[in-house]
Amino acid sequence: MDIWKPEKQHLEASNVARYMSLHGFETLEQFISHTYEKPEEFWSTFEREVLRLRWREPYTKVLDLSRGVQWPRWFVGGRLNIADQLEDTSEPLVKWEGEDGATVSWSYSEVLYKARAVASWLKRNGLEKGDRVAVYMPMVPEIVPVMLGAIRAGGIIVPLFSGFGREAIRVRLEDSEAKFVFAADVSYRRGKEVDMFSELKAGLTQSVRHVVVLERSGRQSGYTPLSDVFKTGGDYVENTESEDPLMIIYTSGTTGKPKGTVHTHDGFPIKAAADVYFHFDIKRGETLSWVTDMGWMMGPWMVFAAYLLRGSMAFFEGAPDYPKDRLWRFAERFEVKSLGLAATLTRHLRSIGASAEPGQLDHLEAFGNTGEPIDLESWLWLYRMGRGRVPIINYSGGTEISGGILGCYVVKPIKPSSFNGASIGTKATVFTEDGRPAPPGVEGELVVLSVWPGMTRGFWRDPQRYLETYWSKWPGVWAHGDAAMVDQEGYFYILGRADDTIKVAGKRLGPAEIETVLNAHPAVAESACIGVPHSVKGEVPICFVVLKAGYEPSESLRAELIRLTEEALGKAFGAVEDVKFVKMLPKTRNAKIMRRVIRAIHLGRSPGDLSALENPEAIEEIKKAIGKI
């Protein structure tokens, strides 16, 4: 079996190798252990020696655990605005490509000028420290100074996935009580103009006071043009504290509304930068790229990491396979050093035969994979794209982590689909149901036994849900919800989700978000959605629907329900693969729907413990609906 092995330059000149040598670590395991066993020493050294952050007031203590491991405070007493770290230089920061081939390159100075203008405009128009600023834009260069400008002004950004429909937008604007929204009127994908503004207007909530629009279509929006904001000038920057929030980024859970994960000036950006520095080996002036959206955590992750490490970020608008070899040409054009993509995209490119030509990836020194497990065939295909030279940095964590729990380092061999170590600052292991470390080769749940700056500071205005989600399974242990395994040599493998969350193309979607749309239909009494494997997307949602009295199943009703989910949540998330009609859903005695049972039956697996099942006859209903009886 193919296995990537480090070469001399990795063992001597990579960031992790040089850091280990400078600080006297003889093995990678010693270094990783140091990052979580002595967090105060490691994180203060990293920010001081590598990031060289500018503090308005120095911190007096690196870590405060007086409220428990669930609520750590970092860099206590320091005053830091993380968006006020931009250098005024001519070095490129933003490299961008449109679907039509147009390119933009903005220097640090240009981005700084625009970010200052956004911050000053926001302050003049009533933004107060802590006000939420939603960003609903495609991957265009303007999104970077908008985000950094809002943070610079003391606002809390709320990135929204550019493919969201009106209901998904409304829920997040309502929950965050956003006062400002920066949006684009259209985006471009596969040669077509996509109307974003109609979705935004339909999703606007009463909290929104100002809307700023990047007018790309040539039509006036009736709101403040972003071009006017950029022209206003100014140099405002809020004197924020290290633990002040800078971002609420939403991620879906298994029940209820999406979770608004809260991140701070000294948290998400610093963890992102550390991961990129040690895992992806980005050095000053080098280019980081990820096929992503700002509504997915990898978007802000790329922005913060690239500029804190004084490198550049390269991204594009539109589809990565339009034309078929676009991604490889893009990487060649911008001399991308580290290129990240989800396993879903790798599988798709492999399926359409989108292979890189000789020479196109000569500048590339690392692939990144995240979002979901990568299957062996896709890993090997990507390995061959890099001619066996380019390591595949498997990387897994989450929005609540600000990056990775697990990753790969270029100073150690990498097995297919594996993680060769815990990520920076995380003491990762796998627990069995009894709360003990799983023996090698035994599946369990991925947990973290340490604290790190990137930990979410809870869910927006819902601290109890945060505690219940991550800290309620075992005392003092972060239970992440991923099923995982460690082999005899200490390599980690992610096997899927341990809960009901659905991962569509690497992005998490809670079943409740789809079920809410379905249950609002006058014919639907209740519904349950599960994720099932898909050869390209990783998982797709399939929904089981119980109809109200007086309504009968029909193909037209099925099509209508599928269309409603697509309209409400956007094609990338909401469109379910199929709707199946049943007379009842399996439930516990306290009326909780047992989605794991439905999924097990659908996949032909044992449904496990059914002692809590109130209505065993529902299992026959599910089997009948999927044609298994």
Side-chain angles (χ1 to χ4, degrees), residues 140-414:
V140 289
E142 290 84 355
I143 201 169
V144 176
V146 163
M147 290 169 51
L148 295 179
I151 295 167
R152 186 182 178 89
I156 301 174
I157 60 170
V158 184
L160 302 176
F161 176 58
S162 63
F164 272 154
R166 58 197 65 183
E167 180 62 15
I169 294 169
R170 184 195 66 77
V171 167
R172 288 156 178 80
L173 292 182
E174 184 175 82
D175 186 67
S176 65
E177 295 182 319
K179 184 183 290 186
F180 295 82
V181 177
F182 283 78
D185 56 355
V186 298
S187 62
Y188 298 96
R189 189 172 180 86
R190 299 193 184 280
K192 297 180 180 178
E193 184 177 280
V194 180
D195 180 7
M196 295 179 64
F197 200 56
S198 294
E199 298 299 319
L200 174 67
K201 287 193 292 184
L204 286 176
T205 56
Q206 291 183 349
S207 66
V208 177
R209 298 288 180 266
H210 297 276
V211 178
V212 179
V213 180
L214 173 62
E215 296 175 340
R216 312 177 73 201
S217 65
R219 301 182 292 272
Q220 293 184 344
S221 66
Y223 293 96
T224 303
L226 180 57
S227 57
D228 288 354
V229 173
F230 284 158
K231 293 174 185 176
T232 60
D235 190 18
Y236 183 77
V237 57
E238 182 70 33
N239 185 16
T240 48
E241 296 180 13
S242 58
E243 282 287 300
D244 281 338
L246 67 80
M247 177 170 65
I248 303 169
I249 186 163
Y250 284 88
T251 182
S252 294
T254 57
T255 59
K257 65 184 180 183
K259 307 186 296 279
T261 62
V262 179
H263 293 287
T264 58
H265 285 255
D266 63 348
F268 189 109
I270 292 175
K271 165 65 170 165
D275 284 5
V276 169
Y277 186 79
F278 290 109
H279 290 304
F280 298 95
D281 202 34
I282 290 293
K283 303 177 181 70
R284 187 183 184 107
E286 295 179 336
T287 303
L288 171 68
S289 182
W290 213 276
V291 183
T292 185
D293 186 275
M294 285 301 165
W296 185 25
M297 65 145 288
M298 297 308 295
W301 178 93
M302 174 177 65
V303 171
F304 289 125
Y307 97 82
L308 287 181
L309 295 175
R310 295 163 181 81
S312 62
M313 65 193 85
F315 54 89
F316 56 82
E317 182 182 18
D321 63 344
Y322 185 82
K324 186 167 70 171
D325 66 341
R326 183 192 185 186
L327 184 59
W328 313 129
R329 290 194 293 105
F330 164 83
E332 180 182 29
R333 176 182 237 174
F334 292 114
E335 299 184 359
V336 172
K337 178 182 177 182
S338 184
L339 175 65
L341 59 166
T344 299
L345 178 55
T346 301
R347 283 193 293 268
H348 172 68
L349 295 174
R350 177 169 64 91
S351 71
I352 64 173
S355 298
E357 296 296 327
Q360 282 187 315
L361 301 181
D362 283 355
H363 293 281
L364 193 68
E365 294 185 23
F367 282 115
N369 173 76
T370 195
E372 60 183 308
I374 183 168
D375 56 280
L376 176 61
E377 291 78 11
S378 297
W379 191 95
L380 292 172
W381 182 82
L382 198 59
Y383 182 73
R384 289 192 290 271
M385 289 303 100
R387 307 295 190 263
R389 176 186 64 84
V390 181
I392 299 171
I393 308 299
N394 214 7
Y395 183 62
S396 184
T399 308
E400 313 87 333
I401 307 295
S402 302
I405 295 175
L406 303 173
C408 290
Y409 299 85
V410 296
V411 293
K412 180 179 178 179
I414 300 173

Side-chain angles (χ1 to χ4, degrees), residues 4 6 11 76 96 109 120 128 135 154 157 181 278 320 323 333 394 461 475 489 498 503 558 578 609:
W4 181 86
L11 297 173
V76 181
W96 176 82
S109 295
S120 301
E128 297 179 2
V135 182
I157 60 170
V181 177
F278 290 109
R333 176 182 237 174
N394 214 7
R461 293 176 176 169
E489 297 178 276
K503 273 201 168 183
R558 175 183 283 108
D578 196 7
D609 180 17

Side-chain angles (χ1 to χ4, degrees), residues 15 78 82 161 204 270 274 293 314 380 386 450 510 527 557 559 565 581 626:
N15 288 337
I82 203 67
F161 176 58
L204 286 176
I270 292 175
D293 186 275
L380 292 172
S450 61
S527 60
L557 179 56
T565 63
F581 298 106
I626 61 178

